[in-house]
Amino acid sequence: MILEIVSPEATLFKGEVTSVAVPGVNGEFQMLNNHAPIVSLLVKGNVKINAQNIKIQKEFVSKFNKVNEQTFWLPINSGTIEMKDNKVIVLAD
């Protein structure tokens, strides 16, 4: 599936991922390939990205925490997420 993370400043990440977990208002939840469509508000926490080959642009690497070669976390204060047709868009503050 495709993940796009957009902040007020720029698009921080866009690429193919195997899963993404987000801090929803009712707790953390994870989306995998072919997840049902969803729209949700996000609260303070980490967007957790898992992928085989994560490529983050140099100017945004400092915003992400590297857990291992396949997992990165992005701390956010709030936001919104939409998943539809195997594309996840995170609007993050």
Side-chain angles (χ1 to χ4, degrees):
M1 71 184 160
I2 301 296
L3 171 63
E4 186 172 354
I5 302 175
V6 180
S7 75
E9 299 86 34
T11 298
L12 302 178
F13 177 83
K14 185 173 184 179
E16 184 79 24
V17 300
T18 54
S19 72
V20 59
V22 294
V25 292
N26 294 322
E28 182 177 273
F29 63 95
Q30 181 180 38
M31 288 153 292
L32 302 169
N33 224 9
N34 298 312
H35 193 283
I38 188 171
V39 174
S40 179
L41 294 175
L42 303 177
V43 296
K44 187 172 184 161
N46 291 305
V47 175
K48 300 172 184 175
I49 306 165
N50 289 304
Q52 293 298 320
N53 202 1
I54 298 176
K55 294 179 182 162
I56 299 171
Q57 295 179 22
K58 282 184 184 181
E59 61 265 31
F60 304 125
V61 168
S62 64
K63 294 184 180 288
F64 291 82
N65 297 316
K66 184 176 181 179
V67 177
N68 58 44
E69 292 300 318
Q70 297 180 2
T71 306
F72 282 77
W73 290 8
L74 174 68
I76 64 168
N77 290 315
S78 64
T80 306
I81 187 167
E82 177 188 27
M83 171 138 188
K84 183 180 175 187
D85 298 328
N86 256 1
K87 182 173 182 181
V88 180
I89 300 173
V90 176
L91 303 175
D93 288 336

